[in-house]
Amino acid sequence: MNNILSRISKIAVGFFLLSSLSAHAQSSSDALYQSLGGKTGISTFVNSFVAIVLEDTRINKAFKETDTERLASLLTEQFCELSGGPCKYSGRSMAESHKDMQVTNAHFNALAEDLQIAMEKHDIPSSVQNRLIAKLAPMQRPIVTK
Ligand code: HEM
């Protein structure tokens, strides 16, 4: 009887350890998402970001035919997924959506700067800003074609 009780308690302790480990894994993998204020926080600074881009004469010509509401919604999804949040980006690949646009490094850097201005405006700490920018850096290769 004692033996059975001790086995059951070991199993219970095992389950407890496993569930706390997976809870920890979840919280550390979505830490950036949480720091960005979750889906609402992301969508708020993305709306400012798109507005700033549309005012930025270094790059705004590229967006004159763009449905900017759709763009804001896809960027929100993309940043949510990239930061470890519970979203699935449903847009086109970066290579596909920017092909034939002749995007230069200067354009890319201008857009990254606008994103930083938008995050700054919404009081996102610079360490958090840098973590999101770092996730976007690998996209330079498929986007910049000139
Ligand atoms: C890290 C940098 C960038 C990211 C993460 C990004 C992300 C995106 C996303 C998610 C879309 C929507 C894709 C779709 O329509 O399915 C998009 C579209 C677009 N992007 Fe970018 N982009 C970046 C850089 C740039 C740059 C530097 C330019 C030009 C200056 C640019 C111009 C555009 C335009 C004009 C569209 C709309 C295309 C259309 O209306 O069909 N993007 N981008």
Side-chain angles (χ1 to χ4, degrees), residues 120-140:
E120 195 68 44
K121 186 175 165 200
H122 292 282
D123 299 320
I124 294 171
S126 45
S127 61
V128 177
Q129 294 179 24
N130 291 341
R131 276 154 64 209
L132 180 63
I133 298 284
K135 299 258 180 209
L136 300 178
M139 295 179 183
Q140 188 148 4

Side-chain angles (χ1 to χ4, degrees), residues 49-66:
F49 170 42
V50 170
I52 294 166
V53 165
L54 294 180
E55 291 292 307
D56 185 342
T57 53
R58 295 173 296 179
I59 51 176
N60 60 4
K61 279 183 214 70
F63 297 89
K64 59 180 190 296
E65 310 264 292
T66 299

Side-chain angles (χ1 to χ4, degrees), residues 62-63 66 70-71 75 78 89 92 98 101 108 111 143:
F63 297 89
T66 299
R70 175 178 172 275
L71 178 64
L75 285 167
Q78 188 186 41
Y89 173 63
R92 296 172 292 163
H98 300 88
M101 269 188 212
F108 190 91
L111 184 126
I143 292 175

Side-chain angles (χ1 to χ4, degrees), residues 10-23:
K10 273 185 193 150
I11 291 168
V13 168
F15 271 120
F16 173 75
L17 284 177
L18 264 180
S19 64
S20 53
L21 269 178
S22 70

